[in-house]
Amino acid sequence: MPLLAIAVLAAGTYAFRLAGPLLRSRMELPGRLRRLLPAATAVLLTALAATAALTEGGGFAGWARPAGVLAAGILVLRRAPFPAVVVAAAAVTAALRLCGVP
């Protein structure tokens, strides 16, 4: 990626992050919108995680990756330490791929 593109993206990201605190006093969000924003954030992050877990190159990623994500989700719900979650997800995915599951 050219250096100019990196600089433009960095400046744009910084401008977006700076706009929040600077414009906070100029905008008043309705109460209903303030209550819905946390739910919208959770929905957006869940959709992003599902897309990343289930697709690769515009198609279905196979069953091994979603199985690894499912194993990680179960361990997260059981409040396992983060390194254990990552290792378990990778182990489940690798074991299934070793067995020939795509």
Side-chain angles (χ1 to χ4, degrees):
M1 187 179 274
L3 189 58
L4 178 62
I6 294 171
V8 168
L9 288 173
T13 301
Y14 184 74
F16 268 114
R17 294 194 48 97
L18 185 63
L22 290 179
L23 298 177
R24 184 178 181 145
S25 62
R26 300 177 99 186
M27 290 182 63
E28 184 63 35
L29 296 176
R32 183 168 189 248
L33 181 59
R34 272 188 268 146
R35 288 190 305 275
L36 288 177
L37 279 177
T41 303
V43 168
L44 184 62
L45 288 175
T46 301
L48 178 64
T51 302
L54 299 175
T55 62
E56 181 176 337
F60 182 58
W63 292 104
R65 187 185 298 174
V69 172
L70 178 65
I74 290 170
L75 289 175
V76 165
L77 289 175
R78 299 189 71 175
R79 302 201 186 270
F82 182 71
V85 171
V86 172
V87 169
V92 167
T93 303
L96 286 173
R97 287 186 177 162
L98 187 64
C99 293
V101 176

